[in-house]
Amino acid sequence: VPPTRPAFSGFIFKIQANMDPSHRDRVAFMRVCSGHFERGMDVKHARLNKTVRLSKPLQFFAQERVIVDEAWPGDVVGLLDTSGELRIGDTLCAGPRIEYGGVPRFSPEHFAAVVILDPMKRKQLKKGLDQLSEEGVVQVFRQRGLGDKDPVLGAVGALQFEVLQHRLKAEYGVDVKIEKLPYIHARWVRGPGFDADFFERREDSKSLEDRDGQPLILFKSDWGLRYAQEQYKSLEFLTIAPQIRGDTES
């Protein structure tokens, strides 16, 4: 999409929680890609197929926040996102709906369970995991049938778990223990004939769901992954999460 396109479009490329610790705010950073942005304008949220109003656009200068009345292609605008509807990779647009390609989520290589030390703070833990996973600190996977109970964490680097542990305590007041899990591969699964129970019964694999309810399998060994690929020729074992996209209009 050229920047000279008359209709507004913007791309969410960063999420930051707790920019103001006293208000627990969440800011989504948007790059204006085309058209003219104006404060208070109604735009389409392409992934959710809904209309949202951008009433509190901000720009940041050190610790100072300034309300933005208008912006042009190339400008970066911070959007207060109290509802948590914006994700990295989302498209906001006016006029005919378009949707940019998004940002890929790669397969993690390290896995852990999170154990809360004070069971009375489960609500704070859930909020912290939700917000920090949206930032990209870790990926959070759910065990089938358990909802938000006993989530499994995934990360590309083990240091990310230490960052998560520190920020949960510093920003959400939650002490947790991180317990490493013995898995080395994760693959999103797509295709006919997928049997989640088969992978759940095996000792070397575990069946989970990502934030969008898409199936994901963890494997303890290279052999286990190769065996699954050979047994299920009709399935795709993906290292990048399938993107959830709204219907687009030309």
Side-chain angles (χ1 to χ4, degrees):
V1 175
T4 54
R5 177 181 184 263
F8 162 80
S9 67
F11 182 78
I12 305 297
F13 67 92
K14 177 180 173 61
I15 302 287
Q16 182 69 50
N18 299 321
M19 291 201 66
D20 183 347
S22 62
H23 292 92
R24 299 284 189 198
D25 60 353
R26 181 177 188 270
V27 178
F29 288 90
M30 175 189 69
R31 179 172 294 279
V32 180
C33 300
S34 69
H36 178 209
F37 170 85
E38 294 181 287
R39 176 186 177 188
M41 69 187 304
D42 291 328
V43 299
K44 298 172 184 176
H45 189 312
R47 176 175 54 85
L48 298 181
N49 292 335
K50 65 180 293 184
T51 299
V52 296
R53 173 161 291 184
L54 306 182
S55 57
K56 294 183 178 180
L58 304 169
Q59 284 187 335
F60 296 83
F61 300 93
Q63 297 299 315
E64 183 182 0
R65 300 182 179 202
V66 177
I67 294 292
V68 176
D69 290 319
E70 60 180 357
W72 303 89
D75 290 342
V76 172
V77 178
L79 304 173
L80 286 180
D81 182 30
T82 56
S83 63
E85 292 183 337
L86 296 175
R87 291 181 181 175
I88 294 174
D90 278 348
T91 299
L92 302 177
C93 60
R97 189 170 69 244
I98 61 172
E99 189 166 10
Y100 292 108
V103 175
R105 283 189 295 135
F106 294 100
S107 170
E109 300 174 2
H110 300 270
F111 305 91
V114 56
V115 180
I116 188 170
L117 301 182
D118 182 356
M120 300 299 292
K121 294 190 175 182
R122 290 194 177 276
K123 184 176 180 180
Q124 292 94 319
L125 174 63
K126 180 183 183 306
K127 182 177 182 180
L129 290 178
D130 286 346
Q131 293 191 345
L132 295 178
S133 65
E134 290 292 350
E135 280 188 31
V137 176
V138 294
Q139 295 188 54
V140 177
F141 305 111
R142 292 175 172 81
Q143 301 190 55
R144 297 166 58 233
L146 295 184
D148 294 318
K149 183 181 178 183
D150 299 332
V152 173
L153 310 180
V156 175
L159 182 61
Q160 291 173 251
F161 294 136
E162 296 182 25
V163 173
L164 174 76
Q165 189 176 26
H166 171 75
R167 291 191 62 186
L168 283 174
K169 183 175 182 179
E171 298 176 20
Y172 299 90
V174 181
D175 277 314
V176 299
K177 181 170 63 173
I178 303 295
E179 296 183 346
K180 186 176 180 180
L181 297 176
Y183 302 99
I184 62 172
H185 294 299
R187 295 292 186 270
W188 282 270
V189 184
R190 184 170 60 185
F194 171 62
D195 182 2
D197 291 331
F198 169 80
F199 292 98
E200 196 66 40
R201 289 192 298 267
R202 295 185 58 82
E203 293 184 0
D204 63 347
S205 62
K206 188 174 186 63
S207 180
L208 303 172
E209 295 178 348
D210 72 1
R211 66 187 185 186
D212 298 312
Q214 300 181 109
L216 177 105
I217 306 299
L218 304 187
F219 297 95
K220 291 182 179 179
S221 65
D222 295 332
W223 181 89
L225 174 57
R226 288 197 302 270
Y227 176 80
Q229 292 171 326
E230 292 170 359
Q231 288 292 111
Y232 286 87
K233 299 289 189 182
S234 63
L235 297 179
E236 294 180 274
F237 293 86
L238 307 173
T239 58
I240 298 177
Q243 291 192 14
I244 303 298
R245 298 169 63 88
D247 296 330
T248 58
E249 302 171 2
S250 60

